[in-house]
Amino acid sequence: MSDTHTATDKKRDLTKGSIPKTMLLFALPTLGSSALQSLNGSINAVWVGRFLGEEALAATANGNILMFIMISFVFGFGMAATILIGQAMGSRNEVLIKRTMGTALGSIIPISVLVSAGGWIFAPMLLDLLGTPPSAFDLALTYLRMIFIAMPVTLTFTLMMMALRGTGDSTTPLWFIIISVVIDLVLTPTLILGLGPFPEWGIFGSAVATAAANAIALIGMIITLYWRGSVLTLSMPELRFLRADREILKSMFSKGLPMGLQMIVISSAALTMLSLINREGVQTTAAYSATQQLWTYVQMPAMALSAAASAMVAQNIGADQWSRVAGITRWGLIFNVVLTGTMIGVLTAFDSTILGFFLGSDSPAVPIGRHIQLMATWGFVFFGIAQVFFGTMRANGYVIWPLIVMVISMYPVRLGFAFGLYPVLGTDALWLSFPAGMVATAVMGGGLYLHGGWRKGKNLSAEEAAQRSEGYRAQVGTCSSCRDMAPTTSWKHLPSLRIADLRHKLQSID
């Protein structure tokens, strides 16, 4: 593989060194990125609610539900690309990294443009399907159409951040999320209220601010990656990689769709639970909404550690360092218990004060929120355990059974618990159904990790991809134009690779 990247390329080799140190260095910036994005969303909601009213806030909520669904699908697609990039990093195959990145960009950009156009046209129909309140419909339509206009930028920005994490670089995405959040925080009130020379655009200004912030951050990220000579960048001759490689694209969709569907399963179950909670009255719903704000932050360590485990395991599988995989999983579980457990402890100690921030210290919903928090929040320790297991397994393309586990946990277990035990436990059945589902997910996830076939599965090996995509290889000392890349099948004739190929075939027969 060519090793021509500059010294400023921030990609990190996740196949060497101390596992706990490497995991923390990777996971903490990812955790910071998630916290900043959530905090930004909370602050923007405050601006919209205070200056534009409840109807505008309801409008953004309806638009954001659809946005979450779209991000869920690109999350799965991006995770599949991250896995392939991580495996290629581990095997030191720079050409495969570029082909994977080119295929991902060459696919997601035209798809997002089509979604953007379709979303503009069908936005009124989508809002009708959501049952958007009539008083918020016009505002929601304006907001949603701006979201769809910005879709190509938003999804490309998300994809590139995930690809960077696949190379072992979680710091660069953090810096550009900081840039995006700062710009958004300044532009949102400016464009909502029309401060200074800027127009007063109301809710349209809120959507424009987010779109502009993402666009500026994306442009800055691209410039930075080219300045560094990142392995993810494509030179002029390499732009041909934007034409999707059929085998890589097939692997991305076959692995990415189940991961995206996991997010959809979680959100659909949450909507069903919300319909049950709404029956308990406005104070209970308000208390639950405030508790959800706390849960947003409680689950962040689990998601960051899951991403870290996935990237690290993918690189180590690519480097054929299976001996490190168990250690990565073990440390992910340890850090999850420590970090998530600490956050739960802090919330439990100060829950009245924190809930009062959202509800008002004298609100009768505060005691209800405290009860919900005590009954349910402890389950996120098990949520984190499951996410670490899933992150490890999906690094080798094992995604179907984790999806099945999520469906079972969300529907027969969580919703079954809530519906079935409500006559006995009352509202406590609703709150206990959350940890019940999380414990079930962790137990089944652990069973898959220990006894599932994820170690035998494979995503797309470097040799297979090289053979199926014209057999390109990079010679030592490859120039940036890649002109000295020539078709080859010489790897097939190396004795060690013939033996490895035979071993893979024997394993597939078993």
Side-chain angles (χ1 to χ4, degrees):
M1 185 205 80
S2 169
D3 193 26
T4 59
H5 60 272
T6 67
T8 54
D9 191 353
K10 300 295 184 181
K11 66 178 185 288
R12 178 180 289 121
D13 189 343
L14 305 179
T15 65
K16 300 176 181 178
S18 166
I19 290 176
K21 179 180 178 181
T22 301
M23 178 168 280
L24 280 179
L25 289 175
F26 186 96
L28 290 178
T30 304
L31 177 60
S33 298
S34 299
L36 280 172
Q37 287 177 309
S38 295
L39 184 62
N40 182 44
S42 299
I43 293 173
N44 283 346
V46 170
W47 283 116
V48 172
R50 288 194 175 184
F51 291 104
L52 299 178
E54 293 179 356
E55 289 81 5
L57 192 59
T60 61
N62 280 270
N64 287 334
I65 288 174
L66 293 170
M67 185 64 180
F68 176 80
I69 293 172
M70 293 306 304
I71 291 294
S72 296
F73 280 109
V74 82
F75 168 83
F77 191 82
M79 275 308 308
T82 299
I83 291 166
L84 287 173
I85 289 171
Q87 290 184 352
M89 279 288 297
S91 62
R92 306 297 190 270
N93 192 328
E94 191 167 301
V95 177
L96 182 56
I97 296 172
K98 292 178 178 291
R99 293 194 74 90
T100 303
M101 193 66 204
T103 296
L105 289 173
S107 303
I108 200 66
I109 292 174
I111 289 172
S112 63
V113 169
L114 291 175
V115 169
S116 179
W120 175 277
I121 296 171
F122 296 108
M125 184 185 303
L126 293 171
L127 291 173
D128 282 334
L129 290 174
L130 284 174
T132 304
S135 60
F137 190 90
D138 290 339
L139 290 170
L141 182 61
T142 300
Y143 183 80
L144 182 59
R145 280 182 162 165
M146 186 60 216
I147 282 179
F148 276 113
I149 289 174
M151 191 70 70
V153 168
T154 302
L155 297 187
T156 302
F157 186 42
T158 302
L159 177 66
M160 292 196 66
M161 288 192 294
M162 298 181 79
L164 276 167
R165 291 175 184 137
T167 68
D169 179 8
S170 60
T171 305
T172 299
L174 172 62
W175 284 113
F176 283 98
I177 285 176
I178 292 173
I179 292 171
S180 175
V181 166
V182 170
I183 294 172
D184 197 6
L185 290 177
V186 173
L187 282 182
T188 295
T190 300
L191 295 180
I192 286 177
L193 301 175
L195 302 178
F198 293 93
E200 184 180 346
W201 279 344
I203 194 169
F204 178 71
S206 173
V208 169
T210 300
N214 286 339
I216 293 170
L218 175 61
I219 292 170
M221 179 184 290
I222 293 172
I223 292 172
T224 300
L225 293 182
Y226 272 97
W227 172 69
R228 289 177 177 172
S230 170
V231 69
L232 295 176
T233 58
L234 303 176
S235 64
M236 286 299 293
E238 292 167 345
L239 291 178
R240 69 184 184 277
F241 293 158
L242 291 172
R243 186 173 62 184
D245 181 286
R246 182 177 300 177
E247 292 300 325
I248 294 176
L249 187 62
K250 179 181 177 181
S251 182
M252 284 183 181
F253 274 105
S254 64
K255 303 301 185 290
L257 184 60
M259 286 188 280
L261 287 175
Q262 284 188 34
M263 305 288 286
I264 303 299
V265 167
I266 292 172
S267 60
S268 62
L271 289 174
T272 305
M273 286 297 301
L274 182 59
S275 69
L276 296 176
I277 293 166
N278 284 337
R279 300 175 184 176
E280 303 299 321
V282 65
Q283 291 183 357
T284 300
T285 302
Y288 173 71
S289 298
T291 307
Q292 273 197 313
Q293 291 287 332
L294 307 186
W295 290 352
T296 298
Y297 297 94
V298 170
Q299 66 184 336
M300 285 181 185
M303 301 306 294
L305 290 167
S306 178
S310 191
M312 291 178 70
V313 171
Q315 283 200 22
N316 280 275
I317 289 175
D320 200 22
Q321 299 246 18
W322 279 91
S323 59
R324 289 170 58 89
V325 171
I328 293 168
T329 307
R330 181 171 60 255
W331 277 105
L333 295 173
I334 292 171
F335 285 138
N336 166 70
V337 171
V338 172
L339 294 176
T340 305
T342 299
M343 290 197 70
I344 292 172
V346 171
L347 288 178
T348 302
F350 301 100
D351 55 359
S352 294
T353 302
I354 299 172
L355 288 168
F357 179 79
F358 293 101
L359 298 169
S361 58
D362 298 328
S363 171
V366 170
I368 301 174
R370 291 189 66 194
H371 182 70
I372 296 171
Q373 195 275 128
L374 289 172
M375 294 289 285
T377 308
W378 59 270
F380 280 95
V381 172
F382 294 90
F383 170 82
I385 290 172
Q387 291 306 310
V388 171
F389 283 140
F390 289 163
T392 297
M393 291 185 287
R394 73 177 175 230
N396 203 33
Y398 193 75
V399 293
I400 299 297
W401 274 104
L403 171 61
I404 294 173
V405 164
M406 289 303 301
V407 171
I408 295 172
S409 299
M410 293 297 103
Y411 289 97
V413 177
R414 175 182 291 182
L415 296 181
F417 190 104
F419 279 104
L421 293 180
Y422 186 85
V424 179
L425 300 175
T427 54
D428 282 351
L430 304 181
W431 319 135
L432 288 174
S433 71
F434 288 95
M438 295 173 190
V439 171
T441 307
V443 170
M444 288 186 284
L448 285 180
Y449 175 79
L450 294 173
H451 306 293
W454 66 274
R455 293 175 180 83
K456 296 180 181 179
K458 67 175 182 177
N459 209 321
L460 189 68
S461 68
E463 293 86 2
E464 184 181 5
Q467 183 187 39
R468 293 183 179 181
S469 55
E470 304 171 345
Y472 284 103
R473 68 182 175 92
Q475 309 279 359
V476 175
T478 299
C479 65
S480 60
S481 67
C482 292
R483 289 176 183 170
D484 56 344
M485 290 195 307
T488 181
T489 55
S490 60
W491 58 270
K492 293 172 64 178
H493 305 298
L494 294 176
S496 61
L497 286 172
R498 287 207 307 268
I499 294 171
D501 187 53
L502 178 60
R503 184 171 66 247
H504 285 309
K505 290 180 179 178
L506 291 173
Q507 289 175 346
S508 66
I509 293 174
D510 293 339

